[in-house]
Amino acid sequence: MGNIKDFKCTYDHSAGISPEITEGLSLTFPDAYQHADTMAVLSKRLKEAEGMDFCELPFCHTVEAEAMGGNINFGNEKAGPRAGVYVCETVEELNGLSRIDFSAGRIREVLTACEILKKQGETVVLMISGPFTILNVLIDPRHVFRAMRRNPEKLQPFFDRLQEELLQFAAKAVKSGADVLSYADSSGSLNIIGPKNMEYITERFTVPFLKKAVQITDGKAQIALCPKTSFALTGTGAAEWKNLAVQKDSSYLNACLQVKKQAALTGQMCIKNRAYKVSEQIKVLEFT
């Protein structure tokens, strides 16, 4: 078993959307979270209010699960969309969920909002959620952990299907103009699922998914990993760090974009840490 280190996440600035941010926008919530034009308006306002150098989409980690049939509480102007009641009672039921239709629903609106923002000259970061974060919306995590402990192969058909559909999402995001694909699995971090499950999901999902995602981005977009995922890759020996030169005191986002044609994977810091500066070198990941 590898030696996977954890990363303490303290950089998530998207805890909610205050009424002060949305004041004067004439938006109605939760309707504003569900349509491309209002998503684009809200993303730009958040960029300005948070002092970021990019627009982020979407505003939650429920889009993929919703597209598979998940039940979502769309929230309000203070709290964005979140999981509703679980739609599966057993892990076997996961295999019967709907295939993602990228031409309909909120996932289509997210891609269209990306197109709108790119036409307006914005830099767009599109978030893609990992398997445990998506599962957390669909089924009680106790069933997932029980299966992972007793027979993880029971979940493998779902992981395989999810990998395929997230790769489709990545391809459509790049086509829609996303500059960065931000990949994270907050519900699947080391401190939650443990080292054994982290090694399993890294080997059986994360590595094959990212190797194919790298082919999709192909220098057109950067894949910015949550450092928790980066440490899982390096801790299992699947990838190693390499330093690349960047302009002095670049923002982390700008540094990532500077090297997108040289390296497909970054992940030394959370993309949301707007205060983080890269001195003269950025760490990138290469598969071993």
Side-chain angles (χ1 to χ4, degrees), residues 56-76:
E56 185 178 63
L57 291 168
F59 312 112
C60 65
H61 299 284
T62 65
V63 170
E64 299 97 334
E66 181 194 8
M68 299 171 73
N71 184 284
I72 307 300
N73 178 339
F74 286 104
N76 52 39

Side-chain angles (χ1 to χ4, degrees), residues 41 74 81 108 143 147 153 169 256:
V41 169
F74 286 104
R108 176 193 176 187
H143 300 311
E153 292 297 330
F169 192 22
C256 288

